[in-house]
């Protein structure tokens, strides 16, 4: 390495704000460790992280990124308590936790629009529109958001919004298939794809068609404390992550192969990964029709915040329903995006 090249390397390292490892005749940046927690068992929502890691986008930015597997403790809780630097979480959980006092801020939108759907068996000729769900049984997951969501959808169609709920968790999908429950909620880009591959015929209602604001559904968040203390690291991480998701859109076959190779024990159905990624791409979820990847729409974030506030879902640290609308602009930031 020439003196000029060494000086250039030193200047680039100093500009990045990263520490140096010095040695005889050399100077270079130390790899900075970052941890990111998953929100669920690994799936195609996480593909950009694994692509960025295994294509060398992180290491090229001077980062050593540890992708933490899903655990019983939610990613938002891990981030807020400084166990993880970043985490994938849902918009609803972000708003709920931050309102209750958790130190969280969204910095990247994994998907550009809502991936959830209200689904029921296609053979149900008695369900023609949401008002027909009145009096039926919902297989649910135990959150207040679900009841508000479904009631809104039914009432928007002229119904009363009255239905029975059986909390089943992920077994709701089996219950729907065998007719134990009448309808449930699922993620189009995962459970919906899986159902189609299995030959299970469903029909669905899109939330935004019936009075529920569209949302980004899945986000990457950090804490205010981490972002304030590590602005350059955060920017480097998000830029490399964005490259990972863009690569997945532009090179889906290679991206799917990388995700599967990195998670052989968990991802045993390559057809599901490939089909799910195709829906995420073709539906403009990972990259919007206007080309946006990662960007959070302020109007969209504001609208879902207003909806949650009006529905009485947002509660303070004492568990009391909020009576004053929060400033939702503090819940997210696009500033780390390239």
């Amino acid at each position: 390495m020439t003196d000029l090249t060494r000086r250039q390397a030193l200047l680039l390292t100093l500009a990045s704000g990263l520490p140096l490892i010095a040695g005889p005749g050399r100077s270079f940046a130390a790899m900075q460790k970052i941890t990111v927690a998953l929100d669920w068992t690994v799936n195609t929502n996480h593909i950009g992280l694994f692509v960025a890691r295994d294509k060398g986008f992180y290491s090229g930015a001077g980062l050593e990124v540890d992708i933490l597997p899903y655990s019983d403790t939610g990613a938002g809780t891990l981030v807020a308590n400084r166990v993880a630097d970043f985490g994938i979480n849902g918009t609803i959980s972000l708003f709920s936790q931050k309102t209750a006092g958790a130190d969280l801020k969204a910095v990247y939108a994994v998907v550009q629009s809502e991936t959830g759907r209200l689904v029921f068996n296609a053979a149900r000729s008695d369900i023609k529109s949401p008002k027909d769900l009145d009096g039926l049984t919902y297989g649910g997951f135990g959150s207040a958001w679900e009841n508000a969501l479904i009631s809104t959808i039914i009432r928007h169609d002229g119904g009363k919004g009255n239905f029975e709920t059986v909390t089943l968790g992920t077994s709701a999908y089996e219950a729907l298939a065998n007719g134990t429950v009448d309808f449930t909620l699922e993620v189009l880009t995962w459970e919906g794809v899986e159902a189609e591959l299995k030959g299970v015929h469903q029909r669905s209602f899109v939330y935004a068609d019936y009075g529920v604001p569209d949302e980004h559904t899945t986000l990457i968040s950090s804490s205010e404390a981490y972002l304030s203390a590590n602005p350059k690291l955060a920017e480097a991480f998000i830029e490399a992550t964005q490259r990972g998701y863009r690569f997945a859109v532009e090179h889906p076959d290679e991206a799917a192969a990388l995700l599967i190779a990195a998670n052989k024990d968990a991802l045993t159905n390559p057809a599901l990964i490939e089909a799910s990624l195709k829906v995420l791409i073709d539906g403009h979820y990972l990259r919007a029709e206007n080309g946006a990847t990662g960007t959070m729409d302020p109007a969209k974030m504001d609208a879902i915040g207003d909806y949650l506030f009006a529905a009485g879902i947002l509660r303070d640290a004492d568990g009391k329903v909020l009576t004053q609308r929060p400033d939702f602009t503090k819940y997210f930031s696009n500033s780390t995006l390239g």
Side-chain angles (χ1 to χ4, degrees):
M1 180 181 284
T2 67
D3 288 340
L4 177 60
T5 305
R6 279 195 291 270
R7 284 197 297 271
Q8 288 172 334
L10 176 59
L11 289 171
L12 286 172
T13 300
L14 291 173
S16 72
L18 301 178
L20 299 175
I21 297 178
R26 64 181 177 149
S27 59
F28 52 89
M31 296 293 283
Q32 299 295 291
K33 292 186 177 181
I34 285 179
T35 53
V36 54
L38 300 185
D39 61 325
W40 198 246
T41 52
V42 66
N43 58 68
T44 45
N45 277 347
H46 311 139
I47 196 164
L49 299 172
F50 288 94
V51 168
R53 187 190 70 181
D54 297 341
K55 287 293 291 183
F57 299 160
Y58 288 140
S59 60
L63 306 177
E64 181 183 332
V65 175
D66 185 12
I67 301 173
L68 305 178
Y70 171 70
S71 69
D72 290 338
T73 304
T77 300
L78 294 176
V79 170
N81 287 283
R82 317 289 188 269
V83 177
D85 302 318
F86 294 88
I88 292 188
N89 55 357
T91 298
I92 308 306
S93 63
L94 168 82
F95 275 70
S96 299
Q97 286 185 281
K98 187 168 181 66
T99 301
D103 181 11
L104 290 171
K105 176 169 276 191
V107 291
Y108 188 94
V110 174
V111 295
Q112 291 296 304
S113 58
E114 175 67 69
T115 55
R117 298 289 185 272
L118 186 154
V119 295
F120 51 97
N121 292 330
R124 293 292 297 266
S125 59
D126 58 322
I127 303 177
K128 296 180 176 62
S129 70
K131 64 178 179 290
D132 298 323
L133 300 174
D134 266 334
L136 299 186
T137 300
Y138 162 63
F141 304 87
S143 74
W145 153 250
E146 299 162 50
N147 290 331
L149 168 75
I150 296 167
S151 295
T152 296
I153 290 171
I154 295 174
R155 290 198 301 268
H156 192 274
D157 190 49
K160 296 180 180 178
N162 299 326
F163 56 93
E164 299 295 325
T165 297
V166 180
T167 302
L168 298 173
T170 54
S171 61
Y173 304 119
E174 181 182 350
L176 179 66
N178 64 31
T180 305
V181 298
D182 299 301
F183 65 97
T184 190
L185 305 178
E186 72 176 17
V187 177
L188 168 69
T189 55
W190 190 256
E191 288 89 6
V193 171
E194 188 172 33
E196 186 173 338
L197 290 175
K198 290 179 178 179
V200 176
H201 301 294
Q202 298 177 331
R203 287 188 289 137
S204 65
F205 299 131
V206 176
Y207 306 162
D209 289 344
Y210 298 97
V212 181
D214 190 23
E215 59 165 324
H216 288 292
T217 312
T218 306
L219 306 166
I220 297 176
S221 300
S222 187
S223 63
E224 292 271 17
Y226 184 87
L227 295 171
S228 297
N230 305 279
K232 292 187 181 297
L233 279 179
E235 186 175 346
F237 170 74
I238 292 301
E239 181 180 352
T241 299
Q242 188 177 45
R243 284 186 67 193
Y245 279 103
R246 284 175 175 167
F247 184 94
V249 172
E250 294 164 2
H251 307 279
D253 292 342
E254 184 178 351
L258 286 170
L259 181 65
I260 294 166
N263 301 277
K264 291 179 180 178
D265 293 338
L267 302 180
T268 57
N269 184 357
L272 172 58
I273 302 305
E274 292 160 4
S276 173
L277 183 55
K278 179 175 172 54
V279 172
L280 281 166
I281 294 170
D282 292 350
H284 300 288
Y285 293 104
L286 294 183
R287 182 166 65 188
E289 290 187 73
N290 65 5
T293 55
T295 305
M296 289 162 285
D297 180 349
K300 191 172 289 189
M301 297 293 280
D302 219 37
I304 195 65
D306 282 337
Y307 178 83
L308 296 172
F309 173 65
I313 291 173
L314 300 182
R315 297 172 178 267
D316 64 18
D318 297 321
K320 296 178 181 178
V321 175
L322 289 193
T323 57
Q324 186 171 354
R325 180 190 184 278
D327 179 1
F328 296 120
T329 62
K330 295 181 179 179
Y331 285 44
F332 69 100
S333 172
N334 289 313
S335 64
T336 55
L337 287 165

